[in-house]
Every structure is written in C-alpha cells, then in structure tokens.
C-alpha cells in the first residue's frame, strides 16, 4: 500500500540536516514578517527572496518553484483579473477594453497579495520539502508538545492511504448497485448518504480497536517517555532561532506602528 | 502460582441492560496456554478486555467481583500500568498499528518509548522481539506495506518487546489466511515453551485440541465448561457454546454404536488419539475372532 | 492545571482515536463527493462528527489540525484557514450541547449557525491575506458583485456565505444522520452522543 504523498522530498542537503525547529521557526518568523512587517511589499519580498536563496543552495529551488506555480497560478490569474478590472477603488485607468477598464490601484493590490503569498509559500515549503513529518513532530514533542497532540498530527498521515483505498471500494460497490451519480440535483443529493455513511460507519467501528492498541502499548503509561532516535541540534542553530524570533517580534511591532501611521 | 485470578466477575457495558459476563470464577497458573472458546457474543472479547485491565478502566460500565493479574487488581491499576505486564493482541492487524511510525523497527519501538525504556536498551529488545516473530529481515519496511499475517506478527512483536508475563490474544487469526494463522500459532507455541502465560480466544479447535493446557468454554457470558481439552471438547454440553465436536470426536462417537469404539475409552480430539482408539478396538476384536 | 493534564482529562484515548479518524475523513471524503458534482465539499464532516460525539473542543481541535495537516500534505495555503476549520468544530459542538441537533430540522438550523460563525473568521482571512480570491468557482460571485459596484469586503461576505451555506447544512444533516445510526454500544463510549440521540 502506498504511503501518503506529502510535500517532503527525501534528500541529504544541508537543509535536510538542519534541526526541524530551526526550519519551523524560519517559516513562522517569515510569515509574521511577510504579513505583519512594515513597508508593504518590501517586508514580503526580502524574506521570500532569502528563502529562495536558501533553497537554491540546497538544490531544491526547481521543485519548490513548480509547487508554487501549481498552487498559485490559477489563484493569481483570477486575482489580477478581478482587481485589475472590477475593483471599485480603481481610479487610474491604464487601459480601456470596451466596457471594462484596467485600473492601476487594483493591479497594485493584486501584486502585493501575490508577492506576499509567494513569499509565505516559499518560506513554508522550505520547511515542508526538507523535513520528514515524523521528524517535525518529534522536534515539537522535544519542546513540550503533548504526546496526544503529536498522535493527532502524525497518525492521519499514515491512515490516509488506507482510507483512500476504502473510499474507492465503497465508490465502486455503490456504483455497481446502481447508485444514481448522474441524475438531477435532488437525485444526486439523495445519493450522498448511501455513499458517505457506510464509509463513516466502517471507519468509526475501528476507532475502539485503535484506542485499545494504543493503551496496551503504554500510550498512557504514567512514566516519562523516551525516544528511539535523537535529532541533531547545535548551539548555533539554537542561537539562530532566538535571533529569528526576536527579529520577527521587532518587525511586527514596527509594522503595527507603520500601519497606525497610515501605511498600507 | 496463579498469575490470573478471577472471582465472581460480572460485567455490564454502559447502556446495556444484560451483563456481558456473569459470575465468572477461575484461576490460571503461570506458564499455561489457556483457550477461551464460545460463539459470537459469548463474552470472549469482553473477558480478554477484563483480563487486560482495560475493563473497567476505559469502558466504565458496571463491574462486580475481582480480577487480579500478576498480583495487580484491575480496578486499582490503570491500563498504562498494566502495559509492561500484560500484552493484548486483537483481531484486526491494521487497527493495531500505532499510526505513528514509518518502519517496522520504529513501530516496535513505539511501546518501549511509551514505557520510558532507555535508548541504549531499545535495540536489543526490538531485535529480539522481531526475531521471535520472524520479521527481523523486514525491519526497514513500512508497516503498511506488510501482508495481514505479517502485520499481525508485527502486532505480536510490538507487545512482546514489552516483555509481558501474560499474553492475551483475542481471535488473533480470525482475519488471516491459513499460512498467516499457522505462523501466528507457531510463535505462540514457542512463547508458551519459554514460560509465557497465554490466554487465547480462538476458533481453530484442532490447534487448541493439540496445544492448549486447558479450555474455558463460554456461552451467554457464563462459563459452561472448564477443564482439559479432552474433557471440554468431548463434552455433550459444548454445543451450548455454539461449538460442534471435532470430526475425530464425531467419528469415534458414531463408532460406539457400531462396536468400533469402546464406550469405556474417552472420546478422542486428535488424530493420534483416534487412531489409537480404533486400533485398540481392532486388535481386541481380531483377537476375539482368533480364539 | 498544565496543558498536558488538561488534555489528558478532556480527551480519553478513544476520543483521540476518533479525532484522528475525523481528520482523515475530512481529507478523504472530498473525493467521493466530487463524483456527484454537487456544490458540496464535505471537508468538515469529520470535524462536525467529532463535535457531536466528543464536544466543541475536540471538534475545534479536529478542524484546526485538519488544515495544518493539509498544509503538510499538499497545500500550505490550507493552514491559513485553520482557524476557520476550528470555528466550525466549536460551533457544531456548541449547537449540539444546547440541544440543536436532536431533529433533522434542527440540524439544518445548526448548519446555518455554523456558516455564520465560520464566516466571521473566514472573511478577514480571505480579504486580507488573499485579496478576496480563492482560485475556485466562488470567485465568479465575488467578481460579479464587485463589477456591480460593491466593495471587496461586502462582496466577499456574500460569497463566503453562499458558498458555504449548502455545504454546511448538508454536512450537519449527514453528521446528524450518521450519529443517529451508530450502534448503541459504540455511541455509549462517547457521553456527548446523548445530546443527539436522546
């Protein structure tokens, strides 16, 4: 059975070898600066560029660019069309096409949004493509994430392929029984329950077993838990994480001040 | 010494009106292989849960009487405290994966991590457990890429790594193919030889007849028979538990009317016993002819 | 009480396993539904089910984590909407708690309440982070409303509500029907199920 495809790309680059928390803090600090920092697009552009350079040094920039294009292209096209042509704030007309006009203000706004999202995606993909999900979860447990939350973050990734397989079985069974998936709106709404309910029932029945299996393997044992593997951390990385946190906090405060004085 | 002690156990699930187990009493000696048999809803699974310390702690409901396992009262200790003492393997292999680990090796480590076993100690225990179930070569595989039988052996290894003194198995072969079942049975036999106490709810009567030290038969939540396999499996009451006689037993029983089986010989439950019994009658009748 | 102890008390292991399954249902069911070509995504059915069986906090956490995991799996943008998914779970759990999930018509009302609650959180995120656009078919509504002279914010308000209303009402109805149909022995493991079944 295949495992869930995640954004993770196996590899041995320097980014892969960094402690997951260092990459997580980088992503989160970048997001704070991108959406909260002063100076509009400037605050978004530089963290994004920096993330791109880090990815380029690790040889991951091609893959990340493809993912960003896949995720953002349809969105960006619609965004530019809507804000370029129908944003009521448009005053400076760049181009007239019969009844509609392309406005400067809308385009500026759309550009800002696209720059921000590209930057935030780059920074978060830096974490995702170079960190195995279980390492990320383990690093969070090491700084105090409760094991129960770790379970909730980790187990769905491994359960998903089984569920998808079951979904396909139920789909084909119901279609073989002549479930109406083509008819009019109300026929299709009526088809929903027989399609969804058996799957949900079958999955809920397993819930008890799963919880018992966890219990008998000491998931709730009263002692301190240990870990088979150890994540490599360094003093430099620890320092870098604190610097990023302080920097993001500082730029967030600066950004709030900037907005209070009329910045957009 | 009795490692499991059940006294006057009556248990009712929450929201249910009739008890799932009624006034159960027995003791199990250390190192024995005890089979629990009975039809659906006879109470086999409930009994396994009660012996593992999960009932009443997790299910609440109403419990009367007392269950002690390894000297621990199940009403006073939590499931977490039983984890290192009592192992439980369930029917469905896939549901027993932790869902947290990406390789077979790490999956076995999961329980050890939970019990706070030191990192230095882990590899030896994991390798030993995987060796016992014959999965050592697959240690780097994804648990989800294993067959059902292999997954069930992994569930066994995950429990064995915790070195429990009592192992409970609730129909561990019900969802396996014949080969997968055979593998599981062989592992259990080895464990019993090594001194583990095993309680198994199981349908494969031929295997039970051959290897169990004792059988407890349940019907409607009550113990109807408790004794050696030959006593229990040849009893006329066994049908109350929804269980038919083995073919050996049936054949010998039919043989009595035809003079092929001596009414004084206990009915057989294995091929060897059957052959021995028929041969004995054969020799006596042929001697009679000669004289 | 520390966060750890609080979690231990609120979420028994079976609730935990239920939440994990709820997250998986949220992610996996979209595929089934796409077969029917309805304006329904059903990506919060697991959240609502958990909310009905285990209460508003468990439901909220299920929603939140669904979107964070979605972010790990395919699209980090989904993580930005994690607070919205959380509100869906909390709102559904509160509706159940106050007896608004006992009859089918109450489930419909709950669906409407859930839509209103999620809109309050979703609208600012959509407008501020995404310029009011999602890259889905709903953008046509926004475009149309803006073309008729509405500002971005009020256009997004209308889009979000119309886009979610049918989905959340259908989700609430399905979840209600499923919880009603659960075997008694299973439902009894979740004390909150009473608020639907009784």
């Amino acid at each position: 059975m295949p495992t869930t495809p995640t954004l993770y790309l196996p590899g041995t680059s320097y980014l892969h070898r960094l402690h997951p928390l260092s990459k997580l803090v980088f992503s989160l600090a970048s997001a704070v600066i991108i959406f909260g920092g002063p100076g509009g697009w400037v605050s978004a552009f530089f963290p994004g560029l920096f993330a791109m350079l880090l990815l380029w040094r690790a040889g991951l920039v091609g893959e990340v660019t493809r993912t960003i294009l896949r995720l953002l292209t349809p969105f960006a096209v619609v965004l530019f069309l809507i804000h370029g042509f129908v944003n009521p704030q448009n005053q400076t007309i760049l181009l007239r096409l019969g009844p509609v006009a392309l406005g400067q203000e809308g385009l500026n706004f759309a550009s800002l949004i696209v720059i921000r999202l590209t930057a935030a995606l780059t920074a978060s993909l830096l974490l995702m493509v170079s960190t195995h999900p279980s390492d990320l979860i383990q690093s969070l447990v090491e700084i105090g994430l409760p094991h129960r939350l770790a379970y909730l973050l980790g187990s769905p990734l491994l359960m998903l392929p089984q569920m998808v397989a079951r979904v396909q079985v139920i789909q084909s069974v119901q279609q073989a029984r002549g479930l109406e998936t083509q008819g009019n709106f109300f026929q299709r709404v009526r088809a929903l329950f027989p399609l969804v309910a058996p799957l949900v029932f079958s999955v809920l029945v397993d819930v008890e077993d799963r919880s018992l299996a966890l219990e008998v393997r000491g998931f709730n044992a009263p002692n301190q838990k240990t870990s088979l593997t150890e994540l490599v951390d360094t003093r430099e990385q620890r320092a870098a994480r604190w610097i990023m946190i302080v920097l993001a906090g500082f730029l967030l405060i600066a950004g709030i001040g900037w907005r209070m004085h009329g910045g957009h | 010494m009795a490692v499991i002690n059940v006294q006057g156990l009556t248990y009712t699930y929450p929201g249910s009106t009739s008890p799932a187990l009624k006034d159960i009493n027995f003791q199990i000696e250390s190192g024995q292989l005890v089979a629990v048999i009975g039809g659906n809803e006879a109470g086999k699974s409930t009994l396994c849960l009660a012996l593992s310390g999960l009932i009443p702690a997790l299910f609440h409901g109403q419990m009367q009487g007392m269950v002690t396992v390894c000297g621990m009262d199940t009403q006073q200790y939590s499931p977490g405290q039983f984890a290192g003492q009592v192992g439980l393997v369930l029917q469905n292999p896939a549901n027993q994966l932790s869902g947290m680990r990406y390789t077979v090796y790490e999956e076995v480590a999961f329980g050890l991590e939970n019990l706070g076993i030191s990192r230095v100690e882990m590899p030896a225990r994991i390798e030993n457990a995987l060796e016992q179930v014959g999965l050592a070569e697959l240690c780097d595989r994804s648990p989800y890429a294993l067959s059902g039988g292999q997954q069930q052996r992994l569930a066994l290894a995950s429990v064995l790594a915790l070195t429990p003194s009592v192992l409970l198995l609730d129909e561990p072969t019900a969802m396996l193919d014949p080969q997968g079942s055979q593998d599981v049975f062989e592992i259990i036999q080895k464990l019993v030889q090594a001194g583990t106490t095993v309680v198994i709810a199981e349908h494969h009567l031929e295997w039970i007849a051959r290897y169990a030290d004792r059988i407890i038969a349940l019907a409607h939540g009550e113990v109807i028979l408790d004794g050696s396999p030959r006593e229990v499996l040849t009893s006329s009451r066994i049908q109350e538990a929804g269980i038919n006689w083995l073919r050996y037993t049936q054949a010998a029983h039919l043989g009595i009317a035809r003079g092929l089986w001596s009414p004084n010989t206990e009915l057989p439950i294995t091929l060897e016993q059957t052959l021995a019994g028929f041969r004995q009658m054969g020799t006596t009748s042929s001697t009679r002819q000669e004289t | 009480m520390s966060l750890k102890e609080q979690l231990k008390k609120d979420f028994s292991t079976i609730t935990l396993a239920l939440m994990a399954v709820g997250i998986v249902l949220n992610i996996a069911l979209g595929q089934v539904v796409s077969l029917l070509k309805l304006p329904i995504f059903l990506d919060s059915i697991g959240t609502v089910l958990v909310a009905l069986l285990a209460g508003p906090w468990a439901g909220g956490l299920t929603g939140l984590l669904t979107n964070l995991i979605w972010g790990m799996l395919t699209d980090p943008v989904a993580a930005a909407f994690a607070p919205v998914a959380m509100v869906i779970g909390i709102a559904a759990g509160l509706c159940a708690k106050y007896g608004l999930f006992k009859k089918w018509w109450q489930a419909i009302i709950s669906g409407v309440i859930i839509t209103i609650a999620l809109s309050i959180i979703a609208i600012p995120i959509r407008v501020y982070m995404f310029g009011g656009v999602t890259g889905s078919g709903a953008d046509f509504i926004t475009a149309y409303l803006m073309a008729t002279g509405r500002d971005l914010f009020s256009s997004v308000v209308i889009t979000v509500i119309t886009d979610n209303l049918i989905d959340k009402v259908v989700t609430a109805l399905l979840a209600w029907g499923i919880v009603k149909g659960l075997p008694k022995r299973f439902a009894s493991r979740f004390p909150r199920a009473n608020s639907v079944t009784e």
Side-chain angles (χ1 to χ4, degrees):
Chain A
M1 199 174 286
T3 46
T4 317
T6 62
L7 293 165
Y8 173 66
L9 303 167
T12 53
S13 75
Y14 81 94
L15 274 183
H16 285 87
R17 290 194 304 273
L18 282 179
H19 193 274
L21 282 182
S22 306
K23 293 177 269 187
L24 178 66
V25 169
F26 175 79
S27 294
L28 293 178
S30 299
V32 168
I33 296 168
I34 289 163
F35 290 100
W41 68 273
V42 181
S43 276
F45 182 75
F46 286 101
L49 183 68
F50 187 53
M52 215 34 120
L53 288 172
L54 292 175
L55 284 163
W56 174 69
R57 262 202 61 201
L60 293 165
V61 86
E63 201 60 47
V64 167
T65 310
R66 266 193 291 280
T67 308
I68 292 174
L69 286 176
R70 174 172 61 82
L71 292 174
L72 280 189
T73 307
F75 169 82
V77 168
V78 179
L79 190 78
F80 276 108
L81 286 176
I82 289 188
H83 288 283
F85 288 106
V86 296
N87 191 328
Q89 283 172 347
N90 282 340
Q91 311 229 306
T92 323
I93 301 305
L94 297 175
L95 186 68
R96 231 170 239 294
L97 295 168
V100 291
L102 188 65
Q104 178 74 51
E105 289 77 8
L107 284 186
N108 287 351
F109 179 74
S111 309
L112 176 63
I113 297 282
V114 168
I115 291 173
R116 276 181 178 161
L117 285 179
T118 310
L121 259 180
T122 313
S124 57
L125 284 171
L126 181 142
L127 167 71
M128 296 310 172
V129 297
S130 68
T131 314
H132 192 284
S134 69
D135 287 340
L136 179 59
I137 292 166
Q138 190 184 338
S139 74
L140 292 169
V141 168
E142 283 177 8
I143 57 164
L145 181 82
H147 282 86
R148 309 171 142 263
L149 278 178
Y151 173 76
L152 287 178
L153 276 173
S155 62
L157 294 175
L158 281 165
M159 275 189 227
L160 200 55
Q162 303 175 55
M163 187 80 77
V164 170
R166 244 190 252 196
V167 165
Q168 283 157 356
V169 170
I170 288 181
Q171 254 178 22
S172 50
V173 167
Q174 296 290 30
Q175 277 176 318
R177 283 188 192 157
L179 186 80
E180 191 60 71
T181 57
Q182 308 295 333
N184 68 33
F185 182 81
F186 286 102
Q187 285 170 319
R188 282 178 290 147
V189 169
R190 250 195 311 225
L192 207 53
F193 194 80
L195 205 53
V196 171
L199 180 77
V200 176
F201 282 133
S202 79
V203 172
L204 287 180
V205 167
D206 291 346
V207 163
E208 185 164 272
D209 271 10
R210 288 184 197 279
S211 71
L212 296 181
L214 286 176
E215 290 283 357
V216 296
R217 289 165 71 187
F219 191 67
N220 286 325
N223 52 269
Q224 192 77 37
K225 291 189 198 315
T226 49
S227 168
L228 174 68
T229 51
E230 196 173 15
L231 296 166
V232 186
D233 202 2
T234 60
R235 197 185 304 166
E236 289 80 6
Q237 288 193 55
R238 238 167 281 156
R241 294 202 287 267
W242 282 113
I243 292 171
M244 289 189 282
I245 291 169
V246 170
L247 183 68
F250 175 76
L251 286 173
L252 179 64
I253 294 166
I256 292 168
W258 178 73
R259 282 179 179 76
M260 279 168 33
H261 290 89
H264 291 292
Chain B
M1 199 202 88
V3 65
I4 295 174
N5 193 350
V6 182
Q7 279 174 19
L9 169 65
T10 298
Y11 177 75
T12 312
Y13 282 105
S16 169
T17 46
S18 61
L21 294 174
K22 280 176 243 166
D23 193 29
I24 309 273
N25 292 282
F26 62 79
Q27 294 189 328
I28 291 174
E29 302 299 316
S30 175
Q32 287 210 312
L33 171 55
V34 178
V36 178
I37 60 175
N40 288 333
E41 306 287 311
K44 302 191 298 290
S45 295
T46 311
L47 185 60
C48 283
L49 292 173
L51 297 182
S52 63
L54 299 176
I55 280 181
L58 297 181
F59 289 77
H60 311 292
Q62 269 207 315
M63 175 169 158
Q64 281 127 38
M66 195 177 70
V67 176
T68 55
V69 182
C70 305
M72 291 153 75
D73 185 334
T74 58
Q75 280 169 300
Q76 273 159 34
Y77 289 84
S78 71
Q81 290 168 304
F82 277 102
Q85 300 285 330
V86 183
L88 173 65
V89 173
L90 305 167
Q91 218 178 77
N92 187 330
N95 288 347
Q96 294 176 81
L97 297 171
S98 68
M100 293 287 282
R101 297 292 180 261
Y102 285 77
T103 67
V104 166
Y105 192 90
E106 293 168 353
E107 178 70 20
V108 178
F110 179 73
L112 297 170
E113 295 173 318
N114 286 333
L115 292 189
I117 307 300
S118 77
R119 187 174 296 151
V120 197
E121 218 182 305
M122 274 192 227
R125 289 179 72 161
I126 297 169
E127 282 152 28
N128 186 28
L130 286 174
E131 201 68 54
Q132 285 184 70
V133 303
L135 284 179
E137 268 128 59
L138 301 179
C139 67
D140 291 327
R141 277 268 192 103
S142 161
Y144 296 87
L146 301 180
S147 72
Q150 289 168 334
Q151 279 180 343
Q152 192 64 311
R153 283 190 277 151
L154 175 57
L156 257 169
S158 304
V159 164
L160 292 179
L162 310 179
T163 56
S165 37
V166 175
L167 183 61
L168 304 164
L169 303 114
D170 186 5
E171 303 198 27
T173 65
M175 297 181 76
L176 305 186
D177 58 28
Q179 183 58 47
S181 307
Q182 193 52 42
D183 293 340
V184 168
F185 285 141
E186 277 166 21
I187 295 162
I188 297 168
Q189 284 155 228
K190 279 193 210 139
L191 288 170
V192 175
Q193 279 163 18
T196 311
T197 312
V198 174
V199 179
I200 181 170
E202 185 50 65
H203 283 305
H204 288 67
L205 292 185
E206 289 205 27
W207 181 79
I208 294 172
R210 188 166 290 266
Y211 294 103
D213 295 304
R214 174 177 166 194
I215 295 180
I216 296 172
L218 295 176
H220 309 295
E222 287 178 274
V223 175
I224 57 163
L225 292 163
D226 181 353
S228 76
R230 205 161 177 177
E231 278 165 19
V232 172
L233 292 179
T234 60
S235 160
S236 52
R237 289 192 66 198
I238 193 71
Q239 274 147 7
E240 290 172 37
I243 287 165
N244 292 323
W245 274 352
L246 285 160
R247 273 178 302 172
Y248 308 122
T249 318
Q250 289 175 14
H253 185 69
L254 290 172
I256 296 176
R258 299 193 173 112
L260 294 168
W261 189 273
S262 153
N264 302 324
T265 311
E266 208 178 350
L267 289 169
I269 55 170
T270 64
L271 180 61
E272 288 79 4
Q273 291 164 0
T274 316
L275 290 176
F278 281 129
R279 196 174 295 131
Q280 193 194 339
M281 279 302 273
T283 44
T284 45
S285 56
S286 52
T287 6
R288 209 179 300 134
Q289 272 175 5
E290 277 163 29
T291 47
Chain C
M1 204 186 284
S2 74
L3 176 66
K4 209 169 175 174
E5 287 164 40
Q6 183 67 46
L7 274 167
K8 202 163 198 157
K9 199 163 155 278
D10 281 355
F11 302 130
S12 65
T13 311
I14 190 162
T15 307
L16 214 60
L18 174 74
M19 291 165 74
V21 160
I23 292 170
V24 179
L25 283 174
N26 283 339
I27 298 174
L29 271 181
Q31 205 187 329
V32 190
V33 183
S34 63
L35 197 75
L36 295 175
K37 298 181 197 71
L38 289 167
I40 289 169
F41 355 107
L42 233 50
D43 55 357
S44 49
I45 179 105
T47 304
V48 176
L49 274 171
V50 173
L52 297 188
L53 290 170
W57 297 116
L61 193 54
T62 304
L64 181 84
L65 293 174
T66 298
N67 278 49
L68 293 184
I69 288 168
W70 228 317
M72 277 200 262
L73 282 174
T74 49
D75 183 1
V77 169
F81 287 97
V84 180
M86 184 172 78
V87 167
I88 293 171
I90 294 174
L94 290 176
C95 284
K97 190 177 169 187
Y98 292 108
L100 257 184
F101 257 105
K102 291 186 189 301
K103 300 269 181 312
W104 64 268
W105 55 269
Q106 289 177 320
I108 293 178
I109 296 174
S110 293
V112 176
I113 294 173
I114 293 167
T115 307
I116 293 166
L118 81 91
S119 301
I120 293 168
I121 307 295
I123 291 160
I125 295 177
R126 273 213 203 179
V127 171
Y128 183 67
M129 287 182 80
F130 298 93
V133 170
T134 57
S136 73
D139 293 339
F140 288 107
I141 312 175
T142 314
Y144 173 78
L145 290 167
M146 285 175 76
T148 60
R150 278 179 195 274
D151 66 357
L152 178 62
F153 194 87
S154 64
S155 306
V156 172
V157 171
I158 296 170
T159 310
V160 168
I161 291 179
T162 48
D163 195 24
N164 276 287
L165 194 61
I166 302 177
D167 178 59
K168 297 304 173 285
V169 167
V170 170
T171 300
L173 271 173
L174 277 174
W176 171 85
I178 287 165
V179 173
K180 279 270 184 206
L182 284 176
K184 206 174 172 198
R185 156 116 164 60
F186 181 82
S188 74
R189 297 294 306 274
F190 301 98
R192 304 250 189 181
N194 287 345
S195 60
V196 178
T197 50
E198 275 172 15

